[in-house]
Every structure is written in C-alpha cells, then in structure tokens.
C-alpha cells in the first residue's frame, strides 16, 4: 500500500539490487516471492512518477571470484557472472511486466535475441517514457562488480541518487550480524566510507560516486516500504555524500 500522499524528492534514481537479495531465505537462485515484493515497490515508484534505472547483481547464481578460486579461468568466470546478471534481470523484467510496469532490459554484453544492447541515449529515452530500465551484464568487463556498474550507469543516465539495496539497515561500524556493538551511521562522507573499509560497496564504486557527486543511500530492501521512504526523503538507512 502506498504511504499517504508520498512525495518523491528524486525524479530519476538508480537502484542497485544484489543477487543475494533475490535469494530470500534460500542459499542459491531466485525466490519469486521476493522478486514479486520488490517489483511491487518499484511499481509504487512509477505510480509517483519516479524514473527508475536498475542494476541487478549475479551473486545468487555465479560470482567470478568464487569460481576462479575453485580453479576456473577468472575471465571466463566473470563472463558467467555477467550472464547470471542477465538472467536475474530477465526475471525482474518478467515480474514487473506481469504487474503492468513497462520494462526494458539492456545488456552491456550482446545477447540481443533476449534483450536490447545497452545504448545510453536509448536508455535515457526509455526512462523518459516511463519504462523501468534494467541494466544487465554489469559493465561488460571482467574484474568489475555490479556495484561499479551501478555507479557508472547512475552517472551516465544522470540519476540524482544511487540507492543500494541490502540486507542491513544501512552502513554500520562493524558487521551487525556478527558484532552486537555495531552502530548504524546516518550520514558519512565518501572518504569516511572509503577509509573505514566498511565493506558495504567496493571502493571503485564509491570513488565513482564521489568524483561525480552522486549521493549514495544504503538501505534495507527487506523492510517493506523503505524503498519508497528513501525516495521520499525520509531518514532511512545511511546517506553517503561529499560533506
Ligand atoms: N561481473 C563482471 N563485470 C561487471 C559486473 C559483474 O565480471 O562489470 C561478474 C563478476 O564475476 C561478479 C558477477 O558478475 O562476481 C556478479 O556480480 P556481483 O558479484 O557484483 O553481484 P552481486 O554481489 O551484486 O550479487
């Protein structure tokens, strides 16, 4: 259900979902109930006219570094990781379209029988027409992460904010699942987030946000309604900014 008369403070956002979020309580793969719930929240953003770009990770299926550890060639492993993000993106597209939200998947590697190639100007046009654009296959290059892809696409589409959806309520001084003393930060600078090596996002992604002055908000996607709350400027999660 929508909050009472929600007013967005951003017109265009980039939402980063990790593959892990899609697993729900499982240890692998996609929980369709989780997909449906998140799609419902994205639909609410469209109902208040927020333009939504999304980047979805692939860690619920394959991670290049993990496969490489088991002996696989790293570049091949990263190709598998990128293709995993395409599968997740198609799953999210299907879920969104079943509830009437027009969506395009645009891939950084060519798989153009299943989705569009990523072309920046076309992506912006889709957003202007109110379509949710899901950017698949990360940056298209091995040795990068989908966090970096999210920063890159956020900058390219002129998103006003990058929202990183996680399983914790924001950035903590330590891992809150392991350390009961961990405290949540409401606000941090990019440099603090980098210096404290908080592990919430890779350094490349944070540096790209810093260099392009894109605020980053980290919040818990498992808290129902927090996505809309963040977009409406409520004090949810952790904000990472210049000052
Ligand atoms: N990947 C890549 N280049 C990119 C983005 C992703 O090679 O630009 C690969 C990499 O192997 C990574 C996998 O895709 O492990 C899945 O992405 P990520 O680990 O970022 O997913 P998440 O942790 O968000 O689920």
């Amino acid at each position: 259900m929508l909050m009472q008369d929600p007013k967005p403070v951003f017109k265009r956002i980039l939402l980063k979902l990790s593959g892990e979020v899609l697993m729900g309580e499982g240890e692998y793969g996609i929980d369709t109930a989780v997909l449906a719930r998140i799609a419902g929240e994205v639909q609410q953003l469209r109902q208040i006219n927020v333009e939504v770009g999304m980047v979805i990770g692939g860690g619920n299926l394959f991670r290049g570094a993990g496969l490489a550890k088991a002996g696989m060639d790293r570049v091949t492993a990263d190709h598998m990781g990128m293709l995993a993000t395409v599968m997740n993106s198609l799953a999210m597209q299907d879920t969104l379209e079943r509830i009437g939200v027009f969506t395009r998947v645009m891939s950084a590697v060519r798989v153009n029988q299943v989705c569009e190639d990523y072309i920046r100007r076309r992506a912006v046009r889709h957003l202007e027409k109110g379509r949710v654009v899901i950017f698949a296959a990360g940056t298209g290059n091995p040795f990068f992460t989908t966090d970096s892809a999210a920063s890159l696409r956020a900058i390219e589409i002129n998103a006003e904010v990058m929202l990183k959806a996680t399983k914790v309520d924001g950035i903590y001084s330590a891992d809150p699942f392991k350390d009961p003393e961990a405290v949540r930060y409401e606000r941090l600078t990019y440099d603090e987030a980098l210096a404290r090596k908080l592990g919430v996002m890779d350094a490349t992604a944070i540096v790209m946000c810093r260099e392009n002055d894109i605020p980053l908000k980290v919040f818990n996607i498992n808290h129902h309604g927090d996505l809309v709350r963040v977009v409406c400027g409520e004090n949810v999660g952790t904000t990472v900014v210049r000052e």
Side-chain angles (χ1 to χ4, degrees):
M1 221 200 314
L2 275 177
M3 298 153 58
Q4 261 191 339
D5 200 18
K7 291 231 166 32
V9 295
F10 304 110
K11 183 155 177 14
R12 181 176 293 170
I13 64 159
L14 190 293
L15 171 64
K16 160 74 207 294
L17 280 181
S18 70
E20 268 181 28
V21 163
L22 303 187
M23 299 190 303
E25 297 298 309
E27 293 192 353
Y28 185 80
I30 295 173
D31 180 336
T32 50
V34 172
L35 265 185
R37 185 181 57 74
I38 296 173
E41 297 195 20
V42 171
Q43 180 184 43
Q44 289 177 15
L45 295 183
R46 286 301 310 129
Q47 286 166 347
I48 52 174
N49 281 323
V50 178
E51 295 176 3
V52 183
M54 292 174 80
V55 167
I56 308 184
N60 57 323
L61 301 172
F62 295 112
R63 271 214 180 87
L67 295 173
K69 225 179 186 173
M72 190 178 274
D73 170 68
R74 175 65 193 261
V75 175
T76 304
D78 279 340
H79 288 160
M80 290 177 67
M82 285 188 266
L83 292 173
T85 74
V86 178
M87 288 195 261
N88 285 335
S89 299
L90 292 174
M92 179 56 81
Q93 175 177 43
D94 176 80
T95 312
L96 283 165
E97 296 219 322
R98 272 189 282 136
I99 55 171
V101 179
F102 297 114
T103 308
R104 295 289 187 271
V105 175
M106 304 190 100
S107 174
V109 297
R110 251 175 291 157
V111 274
N112 51 27
Q113 284 175 315
V114 294
C115 63
E116 294 182 20
D117 297 339
Y118 171 65
I119 297 172
R120 177 189 175 239
R121 292 172 68 100
R122 186 179 285 176
V124 169
R125 189 78 190 118
H126 286 322
L127 291 167
E128 287 167 356
K129 288 192 171 176
R131 298 168 186 145
V132 172
V133 180
I134 305 175
F135 301 103
T139 62
N141 300 292
F143 301 102
F144 283 88
T145 65
T146 50
D147 281 351
S148 294
S151 298
L152 177 62
R153 297 297 182 240
I155 296 160
E156 288 183 282
I157 64 168
N158 293 320
E160 287 154 279
V161 67
M162 165 155 158
L163 305 180
K164 161 118 179 172
T166 67
K167 295 191 290 188
V168 286
D169 302 347
I171 303 181
Y172 279 76
S173 55
D175 184 345
F177 290 114
K178 292 184 191 148
D179 183 350
E181 310 278 292
V183 290
R184 174 172 70 92
Y185 301 113
E186 271 188 27
R187 210 175 166 85
L188 280 174
T189 65
Y190 301 112
D191 288 333
E192 284 168 339
L194 285 166
R196 294 184 199 189
K197 294 196 170 64
L198 295 166
V200 66
M201 238 173 94
D202 70 72
T204 311
I206 298 176
V207 169
M208 286 184 69
C209 286
R210 182 186 70 187
E211 298 309 300
N212 295 279
D213 234 341
I214 294 205
L216 166 67
K217 284 182 185 270
V218 180
F219 72 103
N220 190 342
I221 190 73
N222 294 328
H223 280 180
H224 298 202
D226 272 6
L227 173 58
V228 177
R229 284 187 199 100
V230 170
V231 172
C232 291
E234 287 192 31
N235 186 13
V236 174
T238 299
T239 303
V240 185
V241 283
R242 183 170 296 279
E243 294 302 331

